[in-house]
Each structure stands twice: as C-alpha cells, then as structure tokens.
C-alpha cells in the first residue's frame, strides 16, 4: 500500500521551487550542482511545511519538464533526498516526502513554541503577548461570580450567551453601527468564526479572494477546507488595498468570498482609509462577493491622536455584503479564545444551525469573563496596557533591527502587532531555517502568500522588547550570515529554477 496521503503536481512544485531566491554569490564562489540545488530546494519546502509530509512528488520526467532540467538531474536529486531521509519510494507507488527519524514534523501554521523551549529560543513566530494582569484574574473572578445561574442549565449556547451577544451589539451601536443581538454569534476565537463562514459560504472548490500577503493561519485554514485562493496584491509599504486590482479580480474571478484585514493588516500593518473601505464594499456588492472583514487588530492603534476610520460594515447599511469578525485574542490575550461574528440576522441563523455539527458552542466561563471585561469597564484599561506593551516592543525591535541589519527594509506601522520586512535579498525560508539553528524562530514570507510568493520577506511581531529584542536582532543577523555564506542547512542554497 502507498504511504502517501496527498499529491503535489509538477507545475505546483515548480512554482514553489522557482520562488526560492538565488543567494547572492561573490567572486570565486561556486554554484552547487543542479541536482544538489534541487534536492535542497525540496528539502527546504518540506522543513517549512509548504510541501506536506507524505505528499507524493511528481514523476521524474514530469518534474524535469516543468523545471526545464534533465531527467538525470531530477533522479539524482530524488536519490539525494532518499539518502537524507526526506524522501521514500516504492516501486509502483512513486516517491513521497518524509522527515528523518528524530526530526519534529514541520508546522504548517504559526503555532507558538512549547513552554519548555522558551528558555533557549526567542519566539518571533507567534504574534501574541502575555496576559494583561491584573485584568485577566479579575475577569475570571467576575465570571465565576456570575456562573451559578448558568450551571443549572445544559450549558450549550450555539449562538453565544445572550448577555455577551447584547454587550457586543451595544459596542457596535456605540461605534455608529446599529446592531441587534440577533446579528451576533459568539465563536471559539476568530479562527472558529472564519472556519464557520467558509464552510457555509464557500464549500470545497469555491474561490476565495485574499490579500497578498495575508494571515498565514487563515490561508492554511482555507486551503485545508478545499478553497481555491485568488491572491490580490497589496499596495507597496503601508498603502493598503489596490482597488483597481480588487475590482478586476472580483469582476473576472467572481469569488464567493473575499477575506480582508482593514485595520493594521497582518502581516504588513497597513490601515485602509475610509475611501478604500467604501470602494471595496461597492466593488464586492457589484460582483456578488461577500466580504469577510477581520477586525481582530482594530483596537491596537499605537500612535497618539490617530483617528481610526469607520468600520467596513458602516459602508454596508443593508448588511448584504459584509460579515465582520472580531476577537478578544489579539486585543486582550490569545488564551482567551472568544471570537464573534456580526452579520445580517439570516446569516447568523444559518451559521448557528450549521454549528450543531461542529462544536455546539463556546465555553461559558470564558464568555462570562469577556462580558465582565466589556461591561464592567476593565476592557479599556486592559487594552490600553496592551497598547503600551506593543508600542514599547515595536520601538525596541525597530531600533535593534535597524542597528544589526541595516540592509533590511520596512515601514513602521501605526498599529497592530507585526512588522513586514524585506530581508535584504536573502531567502526568507533560508533565514527561518538558519534562525532555528541560532535560537530565534521567525516565519518566512512565503507562509503569508500563495504558491511561494514573498520569498524575500520575513514577519517580525512586537512580542519581545528591551534586551530580548536586542538579542533577537543579533541572532537574526547571525542567521543572515549563515545564509549569505551558504552554511544554513545541508549543502548549498538552491539556485532559482526557471521553468
């Protein structure tokens, strides 16, 4: 029986390999043999999780044609991968990816490091801060005081606790968006909300337009749900959306859904202005596309006096084109897995009905804790503490990276939790691999794109400050030197294949 569980087409693998930037070489530096470069490229894709473990690779002849190399080159690369433990083969079943014994399986998302690894590795993979105390403790204590009446019920509230739904509706109304509790569904984090929306609106095979780059974990969620992702390039720097491109994609591809982050975009930090929001809603309505707007970063504005634009749903008064997703995880604490959806009542009813076959509901105690924060006044104080932490970390990280890596380019965002960095012509994937060796974990740019885009970028979150930010930059500089000298991983860095 074959050991592979998925298949990687020759054209798709060629695109991923072609996206790997060629390492700059100095005078007298020898290029690696073509087979070695190909083997290293495939190995790196496996280590990054962009080619899954147990994925069947294309036949040698197919991949040779896609890469415009000889079949002998592909055969030698496959043999090298087998010798290193990254490929297994069986006559009649083909060849599939593997990892050598003792190696951890690569993560396909941006999962945080386990606590036992935090003493030796600086984690720049997960954009999340520690809990803002004493507000977490006070919220849990407040929840426990409110718990007894709920303990006498079955505890299943598929739409969310009525009290929390009413509180969230009131907050939208206070922002100038009249909202009823019937327009709110409480979910298990923003990921749970978007997963439910995708299953309802975009079953397997449907197109979903996404910003390019976009949030890695959401992209992976959509891929695994069987969506066909249609990337729409962002403007340079913090320019936000390119509305001409959006109109073209929505008109020509007619995606069922579009996922956007208007407030301090993850990963770029861009903030869409009101004109961009209005025009995108108009384009989506005209194309019959439903906009899923992620507001999880909306309260993390880090500049004094910054006037925030109105929410995207303010430009959709009929509620037919915009579904809004919010969460306590970024603004308060990632361990507080409470998210919500704001949409038209009929959409909420459909989401709630579909939930009976998923998770039934969201934990009651956590909902009570968030409701306590929002209604008792602790939310604003906790979020302000979070802003102070993020602002200090941002400024420390920016200064450290500019000092240690002056060739790296970025624009400092006015909010959010992430810095999108052009890595001085170096491969982001190779930097991520080398970073693991020197004790800093950083996600590479291709995790935030489709089909290998953004190889020349890394994302740095505002999760460390002070001396730790300084040390993180020192380790990133060490990783960069490893990549520049070709010392990251086994063998030389791969060249770019031109198909």
């Amino acid at each position: 029986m074959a050991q592979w569980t998925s298949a990687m087409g020759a054209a798709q693998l060629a695109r991923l390999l072609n996206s790997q930037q060629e390492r700059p070489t100095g005078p007298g530096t020898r290029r690696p043999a073509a087979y070695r470069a190909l083997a290293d490229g495939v190995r790196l894709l496996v280590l990054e999780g962009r080619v899954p473990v147990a994925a069947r690779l294309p036949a040698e002849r197919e991949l040779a044609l896609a890469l415009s190399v000889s079949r002998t080159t592909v055969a030698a690369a496959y043999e090298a991968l087998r010798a290193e433990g990254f490929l297994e083969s069986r006559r009649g079943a083909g060849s599939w990816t593997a990892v050598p014994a003792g190696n951890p399986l690569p993560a396909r998302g941006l999962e945080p490091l386990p606590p036992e690894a935090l003493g030796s590795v600086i984690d720049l993979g997960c954009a999340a801060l520690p809990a803002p105390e004493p507000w977490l403790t006070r919220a849990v204590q407040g929840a426990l005081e409110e718990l007894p009446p709920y303990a006498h019920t079955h505890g299943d509230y598929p739409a969310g606790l009525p009290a929390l739904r009413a509180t969230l509706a009131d907050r939208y109304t206070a922002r100038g968006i009249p909202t009823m509790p019937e327009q709110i569904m409480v979910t298990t984090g923003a990921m749970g909300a978007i997963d439910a929306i995708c299953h309802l609106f975009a079953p397997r095979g449907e197109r979903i337009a996404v910003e390019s780059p976009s949030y890695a974990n959401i992209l992976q969620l959509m891929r695994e749900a069987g969506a066909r992702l249609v990337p729409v390039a962002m403007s340079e720097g913090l320019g936000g959306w390119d509305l001409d491109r959006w109109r073209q994609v929505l008109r020509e591809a007619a995606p069922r859904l579009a996922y956007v982050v208007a407030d301090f975009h993850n990963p770029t930090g861009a903030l869409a202005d009101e004109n961009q929001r209005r025009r995108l809603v108009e384009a989506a309505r005209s194309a019959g596309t439903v906009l899923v707007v992620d507001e999880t970063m909306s309260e993390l504005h880090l500049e004094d006096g910054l006037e925030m634009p109105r929410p995207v749903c303010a430009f959709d008064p009929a509620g037919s084109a915009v579904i809004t997703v919010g969460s306590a995880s970024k603004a308060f604490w990632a361990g507080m897995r409470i998210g919500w959806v704001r949409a038209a009542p009929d959409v909420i009813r459909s989401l709630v009905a579909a939930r009976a076959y998923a998770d039934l509901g969201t934990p009651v105690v956590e909902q009570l804790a968030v409701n306590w924060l929002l209604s008792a006044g602790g939310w604003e104080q906790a979020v302000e503490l979070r802003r102070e932490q993020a602002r200090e970390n941002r400024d420390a990280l920016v200064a450290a990276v500019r000092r240690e890596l002056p060739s790296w380019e970025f624009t400092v965002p006015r909010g959010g939790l992430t810095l999108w960095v052009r890595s001085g012509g170096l491969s982001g994937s190779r930097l991520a691999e080398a970073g693991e060796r020197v004790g800093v974990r950083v996600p590479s740019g291709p995790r935030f794109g489709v089909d290998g885009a953004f190889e020349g970028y890394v994302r740095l979150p505002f999760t460390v400050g002070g001396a730790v930010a300084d040390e993180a930059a020192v380790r990133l500089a060490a990783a960069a030197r490893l990549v520049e000298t070709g010392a990251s991983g086994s063998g030389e860095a791969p060249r770019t294949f031109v198909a």
Side-chain angles (χ1 to χ4, degrees), residues 229-381:
L229 301 184
V230 182
V232 186
M234 298 282 287
S235 298
E236 286 295 318
L238 300 179
W241 300 325
D242 184 325
L243 270 300
D244 290 336
R245 289 175 178 170
W246 269 105
R247 279 195 298 269
Q248 179 182 1
V249 167
L250 295 179
R251 182 177 62 250
E252 296 178 358
R256 186 70 183 90
L257 289 179
Y259 169 75
V260 296
V261 185
D263 302 294
F264 309 120
H265 175 260
N266 187 351
T268 68
L271 176 65
D273 61 34
E274 289 206 359
N275 184 50
Q276 289 176 316
R277 296 170 191 233
R278 179 185 297 106
R279 292 171 61 195
L280 184 57
V281 171
E282 291 171 353
R285 187 183 296 115
S286 177
T289 298
V290 175
L291 280 178
V292 181
V293 180
D294 186 334
E295 284 192 335
T296 54
M297 297 281 193
S298 64
E299 297 197 58
L300 293 176
H301 45 87
L302 307 182
E303 300 293 343
D304 293 334
L306 176 61
E307 184 175 347
M308 291 293 293
R310 286 178 291 170
V312 177
C313 58
F315 303 97
D316 180 40
S320 60
V322 176
I323 297 176
T324 302
V325 172
S327 172
S329 298
K330 294 297 186 185
F332 184 72
W333 183 47
M336 189 68 76
R337 305 303 304 163
I338 298 296
W340 53 86
V341 179
R342 182 202 179 272
D346 61 320
V347 172
I348 295 297
R349 287 193 294 270
S350 297
L351 288 169
V352 171
R355 192 174 195 178
Y357 306 100
D359 63 353
L360 293 179
T362 301
V364 170
V365 174
E366 284 87 338
Q367 291 188 72
L368 289 171
V370 171
N371 192 58
W372 183 92
L373 283 165
L374 293 173
S375 58
W379 179 266
E380 296 302 330
Q381 293 95 319

